[in-house]
Amino acid sequence: MSIDVSQFHQVFFEESAEGLDAMEMGLLGMQQGSDDVEIINTIFRAAHSIKGGAGSFGFGQVAEFTHGLETLLDQMRNGEREVSQHALDTLLQAVDVLRGMLAAAQQGEDNDQALAEDVRLEIEALLHAALPAADTPGLIDEPKSRLMTGWSIYFKPHRHLLQTGNDPVLMLRELAELGELSVEIDTDSLPGFCDLEPEDCYLAWHIEIHGDATLVQLKEIFEWVEGDCELEITPLSNATVADGHPLSVEEAETTSTMALPVADTVVKKDRADSAVSSIRVGTEKLDSLINLVGELVITQSMLSQLGENFEISRLPQLIDGLEQLERNTRELQEGIMRIRMLPISFAFNRLPRLVYDLSAKMGKQVELLISGEQTELDKTVMEKIGDPLVHLVRNALDHGLETPAQRRAAGKSETGLLHLNAYHQGGTIVIEISDDGAGLDQEKIRSKAIERGLISSEESLSPEQVHELIFMPGFSTAEEVSDVSGRGVGMDVVRKNIHSLGGSVDVSSGVGVGSSFIIRLPLTLAIMDGQIIQVGDQRYIIPLVSIIETVEIMPGTLKQVAGKGEIYSLRDEYVPVLRLYQLFNLTTISNSLENALLVVVEFEDQRIGLLVDALLAQQQVVIRSLEKNYRKVTGIAGATILGDGDVALILDISGLLTLYRDPSQRDVNKTFRAA
């Protein structure tokens, strides 16, 4: 019975993507001048794993392409070849080709053969170039791997090895490429035909390999089956190392010891585009969830027994049981949320390559500094923040940081600094993208806005209002259109995407000092703390983080302003008022305005008062998408199911501000309740 290895393809693609990310980060690290042998070994191991997996699962083109790449890396790590800028550029191109090949294989499509062939020929040219006669300075100071004249290998797979998708025949073929091979099969564990399980492995192999293969090369062939086999690698009796000294038995035993890495658990999750992504979850988190589920089972059993023969005298026990159930449920919810939390490095890791490519294209020298990369946020937020970060980094490289000549003229270092920082602040995550470039030119921004008809020449704007202009659709200060900027799209998309996540973006800048873009996002989009309010006969949810205060309407505090609507005098400021019962076409409970409540909410330093009939409870709510199940409604962020089974809509403060400023959109929403 043959094994369907396609069931392992998804895991291979995911692990290969991680390997490519590790290769890219390592190569970019070496771009900074760190020719570290450990970095080269990391890159080599990732390439070798991709090659081995591609060969095992039938992706021949990937395996063939990776072979030349692996050979080039092997020469570098052995100190036989200098790590030149040209070689590093070629390796980065090879990573891009491999990424495209794997994506095409995953989608069942054809990859770009022309690009792959160009990069393959470039690698071949590097391999055929003359190797330097002297040691490569600054690369590897430790001695080269000692070459052996032969090895004896005993390889006995565990019975389940075939079920993991590994094939001993493929390993024997790889060994044959390293030297002259002699193989003896051990069939002692082979059962009778009636007891034979076709998916189990019963054979073992005694192998002798003669040649100059290193122990590292041998171990790399078997690294895919670590922990799934018995493996002994010892030098042949006449084996000597390159310097003429024999390898002792102790050395052989020490170097042949293999450590089994502790693998994380992979949890699958369907994405909106039907592709499958995964997150790595530590076993301690899963153990905690299992314990909590056990507590829930015990509590449920206790409540069931109370329900069978309930008497009023047992009411205190029932109350205790319900409190315990509430506590366990809350802990289980928090445990699930911890599983969904990932370090923001997953989003930051795509940016160093972007900075490297664009700075080279623009002729700028840029140092990228990343801090707070272990700050965690929800996986859903992580997946949606990537594009805004790319736009902001591109903007900083194109408009913020100057060329070396311009920086010299301004008395600055030729190398500009781009800093990405992330940290928690209350119930939000803050991401800062800052640079030490020229800063925002307020006069230029204002002139461009007037030229494009975004503002009138008579308008007087504060510095903060001028900075806000860069987020308007169609705005750009670029003198000419390029593949990086100048089309007037980008910054408005950034703000729109961040607003869709319930976040905000602010900008601060100083001429000649630099600019900072500050993004604030909720830690999760799945669960939020909300305030339940009553409007007419309906209940709504206001995000608790948006509420500033709630006040009772006092006589004379509500004023009508011509062309602006109603405002409320709150101490030293006037707050615009939006009557929710009018917005949603409801009949208010109270006929007297003095008995109503005003909930003052804030979004991006803008406040608005929401007129409601009553405040109810505060509770955590699970957010359900309204747009996915119905359509997008301005002012509504989603929906949730309350404890009594009724559906309540969650208000979107940003959308409500839009409705206040543009009353023409309100009629559209009045049809929502009827629908």
Side-chain angles (χ1 to χ4, degrees), residues 480-669:
E480 58 183 32
V481 175
S482 69
D483 58 350
V484 178
S485 63
R487 301 186 185 274
V489 294
M491 298 306 292
D492 62 315
V493 175
V494 167
R495 170 160 283 185
K496 180 180 178 181
N497 289 352
I498 291 173
H499 282 183
S500 70
L501 294 172
S504 63
V505 56
D506 299 311
V507 58
S508 63
S509 180
V511 177
V513 178
S515 303
S516 291
F517 290 84
I518 303 170
I519 301 172
R520 290 181 174 85
L521 295 167
L523 292 178
T524 177
L525 299 181
I527 295 177
M528 58 165 262
D529 291 312
Q531 171 69 57
I532 306 176
I533 60 170
Q534 183 88 27
V535 181
D537 60 350
Q538 298 292 313
R539 288 177 291 178
Y540 296 89
I541 308 290
I542 299 178
L544 204 57
V545 70
S546 302
I547 298 177
I548 303 300
E549 61 180 306
T550 301
V551 296
E552 188 176 357
I553 300 292
M554 303 299 294
T557 55
L558 206 60
K559 306 291 185 183
Q560 186 75 33
V561 178
K564 295 291 185 180
E566 292 177 300
I567 59 172
Y568 177 78
S569 177
L570 180 64
R571 292 183 289 275
D572 296 330
E573 64 175 320
Y574 290 97
V575 178
V577 174
L578 187 62
R579 301 189 181 214
L580 291 182
Y581 68 87
Q582 291 181 349
L583 176 65
F584 296 119
N585 199 25
L586 300 170
T587 301
T588 181
I589 295 176
S590 174
N591 294 322
S592 173
L593 190 63
E594 280 73 23
N595 294 331
L597 295 175
L598 192 71
V599 181
V600 182
V601 295
E602 183 179 50
F603 182 79
E604 287 193 340
D605 296 328
Q606 299 180 62
R607 295 188 177 187
I608 189 170
L610 306 178
L611 201 62
V612 305
D613 289 325
L615 294 182
L616 304 179
Q618 294 181 6
Q619 70 177 58
Q620 280 200 330
V621 295
V622 179
I623 304 171
R624 302 298 183 191
S625 172
L626 189 66
E627 185 175 359
K628 186 182 298 183
N629 298 291
Y630 174 61
R631 65 178 173 84
K632 183 174 179 60
V633 178
T634 306
I636 303 296
T640 189
I641 299 176
L642 300 176
D644 58 5
D646 285 351
V647 174
L649 299 178
I650 302 170
L651 301 183
D652 174 26
I653 306 305
S654 172
L656 293 178
L657 283 165
T658 300
L659 292 176
Y660 175 80
R661 290 190 292 261
D662 186 5
S664 64
Q665 297 190 36
R666 299 182 190 180
D667 293 335
V668 178
N669 285 336

Side-chain angles (χ1 to χ4, degrees), residues 452-463:
R452 294 174 183 267
L454 300 176
I455 60 172
S456 66
S457 57
E458 291 79 19
E459 285 188 67
S460 177
L461 302 178
S462 66

Side-chain angles (χ1 to χ4, degrees), residues 218-245:
L218 298 180
K219 289 173 65 176
E220 284 167 349
I221 292 176
F222 292 100
E223 66 182 351
W224 279 66
V225 294
E226 291 177 3
D228 292 323
C229 68
E230 294 179 23
L231 182 64
E232 297 177 7
I233 304 177
T234 55
L236 295 176
S237 58
N238 62 344
T240 58
V241 294
D243 58 7
H245 296 289

